[in-house]
């Protein structure tokens, strides 16, 4: 490991009544949580995961799903503070987050108070082949159009030179999670909050319904926005998490 696996923000985690561990979407680093952090309650502590291949860990290869999960589990264990931990996974980060929470409840029971899945279909069925990202990650035109289709290509990386820099990380994350099927058993020991934008074409009611199989306590909430809630609607996402905090207490 060549760089720190997470970035801290918000309140002092040693005294915060709630710690939030955020796992961002494909290709994103800890910096993607900067605006989201500003809209969280001031007394909460936020740790944003920095997975291999991005920011200070840019020289590290992007691992497979098991490697990404292991990275998140290690980060969760090393976080300072003893307050309840809420794991928030965004899009592909929710796939990693689900398996990380499962691993943690086996080895560190009671550590995770709740799991929030954002902009991610339930994983109890294989995805439709037509909904997968391009099979060839070196075809920049196809990848660009796929990402633009659901608003995941910021203007700042839209040109070919920048896309070549970020593409291996985005493609690595996509390959790690796109075919993942997660059996609903063992169920999560903590409640699950499912959040999706009301204009998200990738998360209609049918695709989200299966999340109810993963915990005895689940809740689904729609907020104004599309697929990229973390970056396009951070205030709505943060407000939704805060408004549903009683689910986890």
């Amino acid at each position: 490991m060549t760089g720190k696996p997470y970035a801290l923000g918000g309140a002092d985690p040693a005294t915060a009544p709630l710690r939030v561990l955020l796992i961002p979407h494909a290709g994103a680093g800890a910096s993607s949580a900067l605006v989201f952090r500003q809209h969280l309650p001031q007394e909460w502590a936020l740790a944003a995961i920095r997975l291999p291949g991005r920011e200070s860990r840019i020289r590290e290869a992007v691992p497979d799903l098991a490697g990404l999960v292991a990275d998140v589990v290690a980060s969760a264990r090393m976080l300072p503070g003893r307050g309840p931990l809420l794991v928030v996974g965004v899009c592909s980060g929710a796939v990693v987050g689900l398996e990380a929470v499962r691993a943690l409840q086996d080895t560190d029971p009671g550590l995770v108070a709740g799991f929030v899945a954002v902009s991610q279909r339930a994983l109890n069925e294989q995805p439709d082949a037509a909904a997968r990202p391009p099979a060839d990650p070196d075809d920049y035109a196809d990848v660009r159009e796929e990402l633009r289709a659901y608003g995941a290509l910021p203007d700042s990386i839209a040109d070919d030179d920048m896309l070549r820099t970020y593409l291996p990380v985005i493609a690595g994350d996509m390959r790690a999670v796109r075919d993942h099927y997660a059996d609903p058993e063992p169920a999560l020991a903590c409640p699950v909050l499912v959040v999706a934008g009301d204009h998200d074409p990738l998360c209609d009611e049918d695709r989200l319904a299966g999340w109810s199989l993963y915990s005895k306590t689940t809740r689904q909430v729609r907020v104004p926005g599309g697929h990229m809630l973390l970056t396009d609607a951070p205030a709505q996402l943060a407000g939704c998490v805060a408004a549903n905090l009683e689910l986890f207490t």
Side-chain angles (χ1 to χ4, degrees):
M1 184 180 294
T2 59
K4 193 171 183 180
Y6 59 85
L8 290 174
D12 182 352
T15 57
L18 183 72
R19 299 175 300 156
V20 178
L21 180 63
L22 178 78
I23 311 168
H25 51 274
S31 61
S32 63
L34 288 174
V35 179
F36 174 72
R37 182 185 69 188
Q38 297 172 11
H39 295 284
L40 288 175
Q42 294 183 352
E43 65 272 19
W44 292 9
L46 173 67
I49 288 289
R50 179 181 292 117
L51 291 169
R54 56 221 85 190
E55 297 173 345
S56 62
R57 304 184 69 184
I58 195 169
R59 296 185 182 277
E60 300 179 47
V62 178
D64 60 10
L65 179 58
L68 294 172
V69 169
D71 204 286
V72 172
V73 168
S75 295
R77 288 173 175 161
M78 71 173 67
L79 288 178
R82 295 182 176 274
L85 182 65
L86 191 63
V87 176
V88 180
V90 180
C91 194
S92 64
V95 182
V96 180
L98 171 66
E99 299 304 348
V101 172
R102 278 179 160 168
L104 286 166
Q105 71 184 23
D106 286 342
T107 59
D108 302 81
L111 175 63
V112 179
F115 176 55
V116 183
V118 181
S119 302
Q120 174 59 49
R121 66 170 183 84
L123 302 172
N124 59 308
E125 296 181 359
Q126 291 283 359
D128 295 335
R132 293 179 181 176
D136 182 4
D138 295 322
D139 189 332
Y140 298 127
D142 283 351
V143 171
R144 185 187 295 111
E145 291 309 310
E146 182 70 25
L147 294 174
R148 278 180 172 161
Y150 49 92
L153 185 63
D155 291 340
S156 59
I157 63 170
D159 64 88
D160 283 347
D161 288 341
M162 291 298 291
L163 191 57
R164 286 187 178 93
T165 300
Y166 285 93
L167 181 60
V169 181
I170 297 172
D173 285 350
M174 286 179 168
R175 280 192 292 266
V177 306
R178 67 179 180 179
D179 294 322
H180 185 58
Y181 163 81
D183 194 291
E185 296 294 336
L188 298 188
C190 64
V192 173
L193 175 66
V194 181
V195 185
D198 56 6
H199 291 94
D200 185 351
L202 301 180
C203 292
D204 59 26
E205 294 297 328
D206 290 341
R207 288 179 174 177
L208 296 177
W211 278 113
S212 64
L213 304 173
Y214 289 87
S215 172
K216 292 181 179 179
T217 304
T218 63
R219 179 181 297 170
Q220 184 184 135
V221 180
R222 290 279 185 176
V223 299
H227 185 66
M228 303 300 293
L229 293 178
L230 179 62
T231 54
D232 294 346
Q236 290 87 339
L237 177 57
C240 178
V241 175
N244 288 277
L245 185 59
E246 36 70 42
L247 181 68
F248 308 110
T249 59

